[in-house]
Amino acid sequence: MRPDPNAPVVVAVDSFKGSLSSGKACRAVQRGFSAADPRREVMTIPVADGGEGTVEAVLAAGFHAVTVKCHGATGDLAEVDYALRDNQAVIEMATCCGLERADRVSGPPTPRRGLVASSRGLGEVIAAALRSGATDITVGVGGSASTDGGAGMLEALGVRLLDKNLAPISPGAAGLPELSRLDLSGLNRKLSGVKLTVACDVTSPLLGPSGAAAVFGPQKGLDEEGIEVAEAGLTRLADLMEAAIGSAYRDAPGSGAAGGVGWALRCLGAKYRPGAAAVLGWAKAVSKISEAGLVITGEGRIDRQTLLGKLPDTIRKIALDAGVPVWAVCGKCDLPGDKRGAFQRIICLSDIEPDPDESMAKAGLLLSQAVEQAVREELGR
């Protein structure tokens, strides 16, 4: 299907993990397309699913950045940005206390780090947004480093988590089995008047074989013993919280996200929303895509999982519903032949640079070059 030569091109590409943020990937595609067809309008929509890049995508949609200090998962203190527009704030857990930040500070995940990693920094940024007057707060919880059930976040918001001696428990999942008393009396009162939303692409429960510790703990460093410790601690925290608030959210969608932070936010009154839908909504992506002549989406690796509801697939379906052709760009494509027809064209960096290290190091340049070549071929030049 040849794109309409008069309608704008919409570029909504997810990040290429380890090499390009969504914004950089979109701009690389834009440069390549414009080099081949400078008369064509090319619009970029940085996208994310609630994890890394969420704040960047929201800033591109018209929010402004607010810089605050918060603790990382391993206790380091650094400045981070959240997004604010009027009374609406968007916070990205990955920048506050996520895996990438923890890896920069302490290296790759270890079993000990997995147990002591805390979500406290997220609570500190939520508290800062409350002080700024935000009454509508969305928290993107992808890319977390902790499995503490949101205990650190709750503490930063005024909740006291105490052991049998009425002393504060240790940080992270390691401290949860010590928990004897949960005191909500000091919870930040501003939360009562706030609309809270947890944005993510994880729908798993808090506990069990599909829960926060069992499924996501290993990528954060937890070994088998650590998973057992975290599971027992999360169960203890959930039991005490449910006795205190009279509601059970452990099986609610998103409760297993971010090591249980999704559950803790639900206990504070948050509603669950798929992260991709939230970001695309702020960007008014549906209307922009519907008016396009061509949509270009993609991510670092395109495979069977891509077509099971990941961000590029969401964008693809919006475009196809509007009758707009869709191209995909990627670093590597592992889609089987019978699935490649999901996109009108797939532009793959590994086709022009087979060395993965080189491809990642030069991803922006290669992406621009590959898109320029594809557009020239379409135009018959």
Side-chain angles (χ1 to χ4, degrees):
M1 185 182 300
R2 188 176 292 271
D4 180 344
N6 298 313
V9 177
V10 168
V11 179
V13 180
D14 201 357
S15 62
F16 281 37
K17 301 264 187 242
S19 55
L20 293 173
S21 68
S22 172
K24 289 180 178 179
C26 288
R27 290 189 291 274
V29 172
Q30 183 183 45
R31 287 193 298 273
F33 203 105
S34 296
D37 191 355
R39 296 172 297 178
R40 191 77 174 272
E41 180 185 0
V42 182
M43 303 168 53
T44 61
I45 305 177
V47 292
D49 60 6
E52 295 91 340
T54 295
V55 164
E56 178 190 27
V58 174
L59 293 177
F63 286 63
H64 70 271
V66 179
T67 303
V68 297
K69 286 186 176 180
C70 76
H71 289 90
T74 57
D76 60 298
L77 188 64
E79 291 186 337
V80 302
D81 289 339
Y82 71 91
L84 185 67
R85 182 171 64 189
D86 300 326
N87 67 338
Q88 187 175 22
V90 180
I91 298 169
E92 179 184 320
M93 185 176 181
T95 62
C96 303
C97 46
L99 269 174
E100 285 193 10
R101 177 170 168 179
D103 290 350
R104 289 196 301 269
V105 172
S106 63
T110 64
R112 170 163 173 74
R113 195 187 88 182
L115 280 173
V116 301
S118 170
S119 60
R120 182 177 186 86
L122 175 61
E124 293 170 339
V125 179
I126 293 174
L130 291 171
R131 289 193 298 271
S132 76
T135 57
D136 185 338
I137 299 176
T138 296
V139 184
V141 296
S144 67
S146 53
T147 313
D148 70 348
M153 177 194 72
L154 292 170
E155 286 181 315
L157 292 171
V159 177
R160 299 176 70 206
L161 291 88
L162 307 172
D163 64 18
K164 63 182 180 181
N165 298 315
L166 300 185
I169 64 172
S170 305
L176 294 179
E178 307 168 8
L179 184 62
S180 178
R181 181 178 174 186
L182 191 66
D183 181 359
L184 299 174
S185 63
L187 181 65
N188 193 313
R189 294 186 179 184
K190 291 184 178 180
L191 283 167
S192 63
V194 169
K195 174 186 175 184
L196 271 179
T197 302
V198 55
C200 66
D201 61 353
V202 172
T203 58
S204 57
L206 176 65
L207 303 170
S210 300
V215 175
F216 304 107
Q219 71 190 39
K220 302 172 187 182
L222 293 182
D223 55 17
E224 289 187 15
E225 182 179 352
I227 291 172
E228 291 181 6
V229 170
E231 184 76 7
L234 291 172
T235 303
R236 179 67 175 153
L237 177 60
D239 288 344
L240 288 174
M241 179 65 82
E242 289 164 13
I245 67 175
S247 299
Y249 293 99
R250 62 180 73 190
D251 294 322
S255 286
V261 163
W263 167 82
L265 286 168
R266 296 299 297 267
C267 291
L268 294 178
K271 303 297 184 183
Y272 170 82
R273 188 179 185 192
V279 174
L280 293 173
W282 288 314
K284 297 181 172 57
V286 173
S287 61
K288 292 175 181 177
I289 289 171
S290 298
E291 296 170 359
L294 172 67
V295 169
I296 303 178
T297 188
E299 60 183 343
R301 179 187 294 271
I302 290 179
D303 53 23
R304 289 181 183 272
Q305 296 298 314
T306 301
L307 300 182
L308 295 177
K310 292 182 72 176
L311 230 172
D313 191 44
T314 300
I315 293 165
R316 180 184 73 91
K317 289 175 179 176
I318 293 171
L320 293 182
D321 285 347
V324 179
V326 186
W327 290 4
V329 295
C330 60
K332 183 175 176 57
C333 180
D334 290 327
L335 271 182
D338 63 333
K339 299 293 184 182
R340 294 195 174 212
F343 301 97
Q344 275 65 47
R345 183 165 192 147
I346 299 176
I347 301 169
C348 188
L349 301 191
S350 63
D351 292 339
I352 57 176
E353 177 48 78
D355 185 323
D357 292 335
E358 282 292 305
S359 181
M360 290 184 68
K362 300 176 180 177
L365 176 62
L366 293 173
L367 188 54
S368 293
Q369 292 174 343
V371 170
E372 179 180 356
Q373 179 181 338
V375 175
R376 291 189 185 280
E377 290 174 0
E378 287 289 324
L379 295 173
R381 297 181 182 176

